């Protein structure tokens, strides 16, 4: 099992969205700037998130994205699976045909690990992550960078 950049970036972007007021929409360019993820990549990810009903989009001058549901009902596993990531540690996608069509010696070990990972990630919601001290510290730092960047660009607060 290897969680790719796609899964990591998607969880990061969803957490960024969850940290904002629920009644506000956030543009992908805002997320891209805060999280240093390309807008083109975010567009691909958010298309899948929208298709899986984890985010909604609003068009227009005040357009952007917001969570489709409350942060306490969206799990990390749902987010990862929405972008076609897997937490399967087996080489056979749980099929048991890992070694020339037959089960390998360590199939049950990797299958068990996959189950633990799934259980762990399905037990953590975006709200759980928001409440973590490190997340709050990073969010404050990123927010202050946004304010500073806005000040430098516009000359206003």
């Amino acid at each position: 099992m290897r969680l790719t950049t796609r899964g990591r970036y998607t969880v990061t972007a969803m957490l960024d969205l969850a940290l904002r007021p629920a009644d506000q929409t956030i543009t992908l360019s805002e997320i891209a700037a805060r999280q240093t993820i390309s807008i083109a990549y975010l567009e691909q990810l958010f298309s899948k998130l929208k298709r899986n009903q984890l985010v909604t989009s609003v068009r227009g001058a005040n357009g952007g994205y917001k969570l489709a549901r409350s942060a306490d009902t969206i799990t990390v596993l749902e987010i990862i699976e929405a972008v076609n990531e897997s937490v399967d540690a087996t080489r056979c996608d749980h099929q048991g045909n890992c070694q020339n069509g037959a089960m390998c010696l360590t199939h049950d070990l990797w299958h068990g690990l996959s189950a633990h990972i799934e259980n762990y990630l399905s037990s953590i919601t975006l709200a759980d992550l928001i409440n973590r001290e490190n997340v709050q510290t990073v969010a404050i730092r990123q927010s202050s960078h946004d304010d500073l960047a806005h000040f430098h660009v516009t000359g206003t607060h």
Side-chain angles (χ1 to χ4, degrees):
M1 182 218 92
R2 182 172 183 274
L3 188 59
T4 68
T5 305
R6 179 176 52 209
R8 291 176 191 276
Y9 281 179
T10 307
V11 172
T12 299
M14 285 290 286
L15 183 53
D16 186 293
L17 199 59
L19 283 161
R20 309 300 154 210
D23 60 339
Q24 287 183 8
T25 57
I26 307 299
T27 66
L28 294 184
S29 60
E30 291 174 281
I31 296 171
R34 274 191 297 272
Q35 305 307 328
T36 59
I37 305 171
S38 86
I39 293 175
Y41 201 53
L42 283 173
E43 287 171 348
Q44 293 173 25
L45 300 176
F46 272 71
S47 170
K48 291 180 181 189
L49 291 168
K50 186 176 177 184
R51 198 172 319 124
N52 283 278
Q53 300 174 343
L54 295 177
V55 298
T56 58
S57 63
V58 176
R59 295 188 182 273
N62 294 320
Y65 287 90
K66 60 183 179 177
L67 297 179
R69 303 191 320 252
S70 169
D72 63 351
T73 67
I74 299 174
T75 68
V76 173
L77 184 63
E78 275 185 282
I79 296 166
I80 290 169
E81 289 178 339
V83 293
N84 304 320
E85 284 287 289
S86 171
V87 295
D88 181 10
T90 66
R91 292 185 299 160
C92 61
D93 196 27
H94 297 294
Q95 301 300 310
N97 58 359
C98 0
Q99 190 173 39
N100 300 322
M103 190 178 289
C104 71
L105 282 173
T106 56
H107 175 82
D108 290 340
L109 171 70
W110 304 127
H111 182 74
L113 176 62
S114 299
H116 281 291
I117 294 169
E118 278 186 28
N119 287 336
Y120 176 69
L121 295 177
S122 68
S123 73
I124 300 173
T125 65
L126 287 173
D128 294 332
L129 293 176
I130 289 169
N131 291 323
R132 292 186 176 184
E133 186 178 338
N134 285 339
V135 169
Q136 291 295 321
T137 303
V138 171
I140 291 166
R141 185 193 75 228
Q142 289 176 342
S143 246
S144 64
H145 282 152
D146 284 351
D147 295 343
L148 187 59
H150 181 72
F151 177 78
H152 285 301
V153 171
T154 63
T156 63
H157 294 222

